């Protein structure tokens, strides 16, 4: 079973994403974070197969966390999941190394996106 870290400042959103992942029976949420610093700490502690990361969080924003994670592991599977769906935001996240970008609450592509990524 593939492991996942969900980092989002909204507890509701973390629960919603967890329920989607639980329905697939392929993914196990091993950690949750409500702020950027916690997301980075949780990543380093659990080294999950996938990170689902919001852009707007307290202390460190999602792009800062993405960059830090990729410094630790350039092959990390980080998917940005944000309500900020402007082309500039999407392009910036993908250019920084995110594997994909999902605009909340359009989660239909979450499982297919995870399934398409290699696990190292």
């Amino acid at each position: 079973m593939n492991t996942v870290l969900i980092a989002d400042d909204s507890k509701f959103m973390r629960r919603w994403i967890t329920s989607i992942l639980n329905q697939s029976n392929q993914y196990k949420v091993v950690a949750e974070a409500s702020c950027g610093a916690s997301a980075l700490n949780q990543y380093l502690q659990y080294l999950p197969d996938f990170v689902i990361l919001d852009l707007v969080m307290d202390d460190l924003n999602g792009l800062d966390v993405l960059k830090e994670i990729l410094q630790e592991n350039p092959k990390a599977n980080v998917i940005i999941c944000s309500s900020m769906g402007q082309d500039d935001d999407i392009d910036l996240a993908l250019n920084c190394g995110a594997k994909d970008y999902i605009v909340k609450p359009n989660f239909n592509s979450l499982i297919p996106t995870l399934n398409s990524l290699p696990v190292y």
Side-chain angles (χ1 to χ4, degrees):
M1 188 168 292
N2 294 310
T3 57
V4 180
L5 161 63
I6 300 172
D8 196 299
D9 59 341
S10 165
K11 185 175 185 174
F12 172 80
M13 199 57 62
R14 293 192 311 268
R15 295 290 171 229
W16 188 1
I17 294 169
T18 297
S19 71
I20 293 168
L21 295 174
N22 286 343
Q23 291 173 10
S24 77
N25 294 318
Q26 299 172 19
Y27 301 96
K28 178 181 180 183
V29 176
V30 294
E32 294 183 11
S34 61
C35 68
S38 177
L40 187 55
N41 289 335
Q42 297 290 340
Y43 179 79
L44 295 172
Q45 180 178 353
Y46 292 98
L47 299 174
D49 299 314
F50 299 97
V51 179
I52 299 172
L53 182 62
D54 190 12
L55 281 183
V56 180
M57 293 185 292
D58 289 339
D59 56 40
L60 293 173
N61 69 42
L63 287 179
D64 292 336
V65 175
L66 170 65
K67 292 172 187 175
E68 291 286 333
I69 288 174
L70 291 175
Q71 281 185 347
E72 291 294 322
N73 177 6
K75 294 182 179 183
N77 288 315
V78 180
I79 298 163
I80 299 296
C81 188
S82 178
S83 58
M84 297 172 54
Q86 293 79 13
D87 289 342
D88 290 346
D89 295 320
I90 295 169
D91 290 342
L92 181 58
L94 295 174
N95 288 334
C96 285
K99 300 290 189 202
D100 208 336
Y101 194 110
I102 295 173
V103 179
K104 294 177 192 175
N106 301 318
F107 295 124
N108 327 6
S109 65
L110 180 58
I111 298 299
T113 296
L114 294 173
N115 289 342
S116 73
L117 296 172
V119 177
Y120 299 102

